[in-house]
Amino acid sequence: LDIQAALGQRAGVGRYVRELLWNLGAEAGADELAAFYFDFKRTGLEAVPPGVQMRSCRWLPGRLAQAAWKRLGFPPYDWFAGAADLYHFPNFIRPPLARGKKSVVTIHDVSFLRMPETTEAKNLAWLAAEIHATAEKADAILTDSHFSAREIVELLRVPESKVFPVWLGLPPFGPPPAPAAVAQARKEMGLDRPYLLMVGTIEPRKNIPFLVKVYEAMTDF
């Protein structure tokens, strides 16, 4: 399991990878789960889940490896990560692998192809350049919904039998906070009138200006 996103992203794919790491490790049983990441800055993870073999590369920055993959398609990812029966890349793109290596890729959606204007330019360039080769070379593609599965089949021209919609899980929710705690938090944050909580990241594709317009329309009543 490529867990690079778990180190640099708190939301979105980073959260997805951290949940996979902890939950797959608990379910691995006799099947060994290895997790790999580039750790040139010695940041590591806050905690290591039981049942997981942690592997890292500390002599080469991940950005240099990614630059080599972009320009040269070399060296193979498994040179750094070590041997495995199956490689899972949960962040859209499959880096080069040695011949004969099996891989699964999670492509969460293809909104960057359908509506490129909603994606940041740097991410768009990387995804658009690599996503077709990824879809072709991956042995299977996971995605988050049936809608995204249909989009992937249509826009990336891959067989429907290769794409598997797997809904994202939810971690257990804790008990609701006490009313007094809610009142205190609202007081500290100045929330003395109706408010809207948006828990996504700030990106063009989130369409936050529209959310603000909806909120303004609701508060007019």
Side-chain angles (χ1 to χ4, degrees):
L1 177 65
D2 178 2
I3 63 166
Q4 199 68 43
L7 274 68
Q9 302 179 31
R10 300 304 302 172
V13 177
R15 176 67 180 272
Y16 168 72
V17 175
R18 285 192 297 276
E19 294 293 343
L20 276 181
L21 178 63
W22 281 90
N23 288 281
L24 286 177
E27 296 293 333
D31 296 323
E32 184 178 14
L33 175 65
F36 173 78
Y37 60 103
F38 288 93
D39 194 25
F40 187 73
K41 294 183 178 180
R42 308 296 196 272
T43 53
L45 295 173
E46 296 108 0
V48 176
V52 178
Q53 179 190 142
M54 301 301 294
R55 303 176 183 176
S56 64
C57 174
R58 293 189 164 186
W59 57 269
L60 178 72
R63 289 185 178 182
L64 287 183
Q66 191 175 84
W69 295 335
K70 288 180 182 179
R71 292 168 174 76
L72 306 173
F74 187 85
Y77 177 89
D78 44 295
W79 283 17
F80 305 106
D85 297 312
L86 178 69
Y87 295 85
H88 182 187
F89 301 103
N91 194 12
F92 288 90
I93 300 301
R94 175 194 184 275
L97 287 170
R99 186 182 300 274
K101 299 293 185 179
K102 298 290 186 179
S103 63
V104 172
V105 178
T106 303
I107 300 177
H108 299 272
D109 64 77
V110 284
S111 59
F112 55 91
L113 295 178
R114 183 69 77 185
M115 294 177 288
E117 70 278 4
T118 65
T119 304
E120 294 174 334
K122 182 179 179 181
N123 289 337
L124 177 61
W126 166 234
L127 289 170
E130 300 293 333
I131 197 67
H132 289 278
T134 285
E136 179 184 350
K137 294 177 180 178
D139 294 280
I141 297 170
L142 304 182
T143 192
D144 302 345
S145 68
H146 286 283
F147 172 82
S148 290
R150 291 191 296 270
E151 292 268 282
I152 289 168
V153 170
E154 177 185 349
L155 298 178
L156 298 182
R157 302 184 182 280
V158 295
E160 187 176 348
S161 59
K162 189 175 179 177
V163 184
F164 299 87
V166 180
W167 293 305
L168 303 182
L170 287 173
F173 285 93
V182 174
Q184 180 63 28
R186 292 190 63 165
K187 180 180 178 181
E188 291 174 357
M189 291 184 281
L191 299 175
D192 55 354
R193 57 181 180 174
Y195 65 92
L196 190 65
L197 175 65
M198 189 281 207
V199 297
T201 53
I202 301 176
E203 300 173 76
R205 64 193 179 92
K206 302 297 183 179
N207 203 5
I208 296 175
F210 178 72
L211 186 63
V212 173
K213 290 180 180 179
V214 170
Y215 177 74
E216 290 175 342
M218 292 175 63
T219 56
D220 285 340
F221 288 103

